[in-house]
Amino acid sequence: MTTVDVSQEHLLLGLAAYGLAGSVVETYPGPFAPDEWFHFVRACDAHGLLGVLAHAVDRGGVVLRDEQAEELAVREREAAGLALLVEQRIVRVSSLLSAAGVAHRLVDGPARARLGYRQPGT
């Protein structure tokens, strides 16, 4: 986990609450100054919020400058691709464990995001 200052912590909290039913936390609408964006997008990446940020941008909840939107699109595609690889490995390992008669549970990872968000990363 990365260290964030209070203002950035508030930005992350608002973003994490975006799209959650009953949330009363407001999302910062943007746009971001270049230095704010630099730190914010890296914090979002560190906290697994790139997909939520991309969703908020797609829905118009957060407005970005063109170059920020391009950077986010590249980062989000990379994160989504890695999450897909992890999920494929999980399915493969789960199949092997089940075939061997080993009881197992998934307790963290990309699949966990589906518990809180209807469409994580979209």
Side-chain angles (χ1 to χ4, degrees):
M1 207 181 229
T2 60
T3 304
V4 295
D5 63 31
V6 175
S7 62
Q8 193 164 54
E9 188 175 284
H10 182 73
L11 291 174
L12 292 171
L13 178 63
L15 181 62
Y18 183 82
L20 291 177
S23 174
V24 296
V25 180
E26 292 186 27
T27 303
Y28 178 71
F32 296 89
D35 59 327
E36 291 173 326
W37 173 251
F38 177 84
H39 296 290
F40 182 60
V41 74
R42 279 150 188 78
C44 286
D45 192 12
H47 292 283
L49 294 172
L50 286 177
V52 177
L53 178 57
H55 180 68
V57 169
D58 287 342
R59 294 286 180 132
V62 175
V63 177
L64 300 178
R65 292 180 168 83
D66 290 341
E67 63 275 7
Q68 294 170 345
E70 287 180 34
E71 179 183 354
L72 176 60
V74 169
R75 287 175 168 271
E76 199 276 330
R77 280 193 301 268
E78 288 174 353
L82 289 173
L84 181 60
L85 288 174
V86 169
E87 287 184 359
Q88 289 172 342
R89 290 257 170 103
I90 289 169
V91 169
R92 197 169 323 148
V93 170
S94 178
S95 296
L96 292 171
L97 291 171
S98 293
V102 177
H104 58 282
R105 301 235 187 282
L106 174 65
V107 294
D108 202 359
R112 184 171 168 233
R114 299 185 202 296
L115 298 174
Y117 296 94
R118 286 190 192 109
Q119 298 175 324
T122 61

